[in-house]
Amino acid sequence: MKQLNDFLIQAISGTEWPMFVLLIGGGLFLMLYSRLMPYRYFGHALAITRGKYDDKNAKGDVSSLQALSAAVAATVGLGNISGVAIAIHDGGPGVVFWIWMTALIGMCIKFYSCSLSIMFRGEDSEGHLQGGPMFYIVNGLGKKYKPLAIFFALAGLFGFLGVFTANQFTETFMSVINPSETIIQMSEFNWKLTIGFVLAIVSSFVIFGGLEKIAKVATAIVPFMVMVYLVAVLFVMFMNASQVIPSLKMIITEAWNFKSVVSGGFWGLVIIGVRRAMFSNEAGLGSAPMYHGQSKNDEPIREGLVAMLGPFIDTILVCTFTAVVIILSGAYLEDGSGIVMTLNAFQKTLFGFGDQLLMVIVTAFALSTLFTYSYYGVKCLSFLTNAKIGRWYNIYFVIMIVFAAIASLELVKNLIDLSYALMVIPNMIAVLLLAPKVNAATKVYFEKLKNERS
């Protein structure tokens, strides 16, 4: 595992700058190119999500709200609870500011990529409607760009593993329950292995049930778990109201700390922010277009506007609340990264039982994320082979849950960081090349909407 981790660290250093230039540079270009259009129609996006414009006769498998819930299920999760803690541990409170900036840019990237997922839908070998980067690369850019789509799908075979979630769930269980003392005496390794097996078995029941089941479970769990988490966080902020503004001030002042202790100094701080933001909201990654491509929606721009809400919900709102609790509790000054830091923050601020509450929330987050991610991986393998072989990904996915439970956080984090960087490169190239087609469709959509209203 140490050798694998060393290899991942070396590989990541080679992908850092291409990822940064395409994600941030490309995202800023899209913001200017769209004349900030997605942000100007934020209210309209909310109306679409409420179902005001649903078309019952449209092609697709799930509603726009279900697609958003499922995409948010994969993003509002441990990326927001422990991903933020990892970011603060690695780069200090200032890193949160760069997470915000990346999320705002990410809203525009999501608008373009998810509009493309409807615009250039394809079919798998069984004739089922599919969307996502592989399809808008091949159908939008042409067959000569197929190597780009294959590159994306290969990286996705690793990027869409539920390893981070399984690892952090295991850490939470070990930290809160302390099973060797409270359940049965076993070595730490054996307990982690046991948790991995149980998590793999539970996940299997839903994973092998197919998309409709995943969408139903995610839609049922997500709003509830987000609500419970937000209520807990807002309660902590209310009880420590005097510390909220200083915490936010610290985020902003530390963001411009040019004498940063982070490896790589100031740029190291920014890179950590970009990485963790991408991990939190997946903008530019190409995962959300796979789900939104399944929506019962024949209007690409409408779907893009719904998808744009994702980064706002999971990063601007959820990540900020998590960060404030970690900072005001002082947990960021202690040892421990990832979920352990967030557990410490909750235990300190919620009368000693906050870690148990977080354990329940983390369980719900972990399961919904695992259900959703397996679906993305199946799509990648189906594209590389066929739909029948694609389903075998689930077996590999379930086995890797067990591996992740016993692996170190460092190894799991590096595997995901490398896979994500490799997925961003082909996806962002395609999104930037196809942006003019989205702009043309946007013009037509808003003219049509204007005529309908008048």
Side-chain angles (χ1 to χ4, degrees), residues 55-234:
D55 178 3
K56 284 170 187 159
N57 303 315
K59 287 182 281 185
D61 296 328
V62 291
S63 71
S64 291
L65 177 61
Q66 281 182 318
L68 180 67
S69 292
V72 169
T75 53
V76 173
L78 292 174
N80 308 79
I81 295 181
S82 61
V84 173
I86 291 169
I88 294 171
H89 174 268
D90 293 351
V95 83
V96 178
F97 178 83
W98 299 108
I99 291 177
W100 291 341
M101 293 303 104
T102 309
L104 287 172
I105 294 167
M107 286 172 72
C108 202
I109 295 171
K110 272 246 174 114
F111 165 72
Y112 274 89
S113 60
C114 293
S115 295
L116 289 169
S117 74
I118 297 282
M119 207 179 280
F120 296 107
R121 288 203 262 210
E123 287 183 354
D124 62 17
S125 60
E126 292 178 346
H128 295 303
L129 205 62
Q130 300 293 348
M134 301 88 79
F135 294 94
Y136 55 70
I137 289 171
V138 174
N139 298 338
L141 294 173
K143 292 275 188 282
K144 64 181 179 196
Y145 282 90
K146 196 171 181 181
L148 212 59
I150 291 168
F151 184 86
F152 174 86
L154 284 169
L157 296 178
F158 299 95
F160 292 132
L161 288 170
V163 287
F164 181 82
T165 300
N167 177 276
Q168 290 295 277
F169 173 81
T170 307
E171 282 295 318
T172 308
F173 191 88
M174 295 297 287
S175 184
V176 176
I177 308 295
N178 199 355
S180 277
E181 289 178 20
T182 56
I183 303 174
I184 191 169
Q185 178 65 44
M186 265 202 298
S187 69
E188 189 178 328
F189 177 82
N190 284 345
W191 258 116
K192 285 185 173 181
L193 201 58
T194 307
I195 296 163
F197 274 115
V198 171
L199 202 53
I201 292 161
V202 171
S203 300
S204 299
F205 286 118
V206 174
I207 287 168
F208 294 104
L211 170 66
E212 271 81 10
K213 208 174 266 186
I214 295 172
K216 275 177 190 158
V217 173
T219 312
I221 295 174
V222 174
F224 176 72
M225 69 182 183
V226 172
M227 201 54 65
V228 173
Y229 184 66
L230 291 183
V231 167
V233 170
L234 289 169

Side-chain angles (χ1 to χ4, degrees), residues 384-401:
L384 293 167
T385 55
N386 60 49
K388 207 171 182 182
I389 295 171
R391 292 190 194 100
W392 285 87
Y393 180 86
N394 284 329
I395 295 165
Y396 156 64
F397 181 90
V398 167
I399 291 166
M400 289 301 282
I401 289 175

Side-chain angles (χ1 to χ4, degrees), residues 218-450:
T219 312
I221 295 174
V222 174
F224 176 72
M225 69 182 183
V226 172
M227 201 54 65
V228 173
Y229 184 66
L230 291 183
V231 167
V233 170
L234 289 169
F235 179 75
V236 170
M237 287 165 72
F238 176 75
M239 295 298 286
N240 301 272
S242 61
Q243 295 299 309
V244 173
I245 300 297
S247 299
L248 292 168
K249 266 188 188 163
M250 186 186 278
I251 289 170
I252 293 161
T253 53
E254 287 292 311
W256 303 97
N257 183 355
F258 288 90
K259 293 186 182 119
S260 176
V261 290
V262 185
S263 55
F266 175 69
W267 279 112
L269 183 79
V270 178
I271 290 278
I272 291 169
V274 172
R275 266 203 206 142
R276 294 283 76 80
M278 185 172 65
F279 186 69
S280 163
N281 63 52
E282 296 176 5
L285 188 62
S287 55
M290 289 187 189
Y291 237 108
H292 285 280
Q294 302 286 100
S295 284
K296 281 181 185 161
N297 192 352
D298 293 331
E299 190 52 79
I301 304 309
R302 201 172 281 166
E303 198 59 40
L305 287 166
V306 169
M308 172 196 80
L309 298 172
F312 183 81
I313 296 165
D314 59 50
T315 306
I316 305 292
L317 295 179
V318 183
C319 281
T320 303
F321 293 155
T322 306
V324 168
V325 171
I326 288 170
I327 295 166
L328 67 79
S329 68
Y332 74 101
L333 299 167
E334 295 169 12
D335 283 339
S337 182
I339 199 78
V340 176
M341 186 192 282
T342 318
L343 284 166
N344 289 343
F346 267 70
Q347 190 182 17
K348 280 180 167 185
T349 51
L350 274 179
F351 318 112
F353 68 85
D355 52 344
Q356 279 103 326
L357 176 66
L358 194 62
M359 168 84 210
V360 175
I361 296 165
V362 163
T363 304
F365 273 142
L367 291 172
S368 68
T369 304
L370 289 173
F371 302 159
T372 318
Y373 260 42
S374 65
Y375 172 74
Y376 293 149
V378 168
K379 296 292 148 214
C380 289
L381 188 56
S382 298
F383 180 79
L384 293 167
T385 55
N386 60 49
K388 207 171 182 182
I389 295 171
R391 292 190 194 100
W392 285 87
Y393 180 86
N394 284 329
I395 295 165
Y396 156 64
F397 181 90
V398 167
I399 291 166
M400 289 301 282
I401 289 175
V402 182
F403 163 77
I406 56 172
S408 70
L409 170 59
E410 191 68 21
L411 174 63
V412 164
K413 186 180 77 173
N414 288 333
L415 175 64
I416 295 299
D417 279 344
L418 177 63
S419 306
Y420 277 18
L422 292 174
M423 287 158 75
V424 161
I425 295 165
N427 182 51
M428 282 304 294
I429 290 170
V431 170
L432 290 165
L433 289 173
L434 290 167
K437 297 196 175 182
V438 178
N439 273 21
T442 304
K443 201 176 172 188
V444 172
Y445 173 73
F446 282 109
E447 273 173 16
K448 203 165 99 184
L449 198 70
K450 207 170 163 186

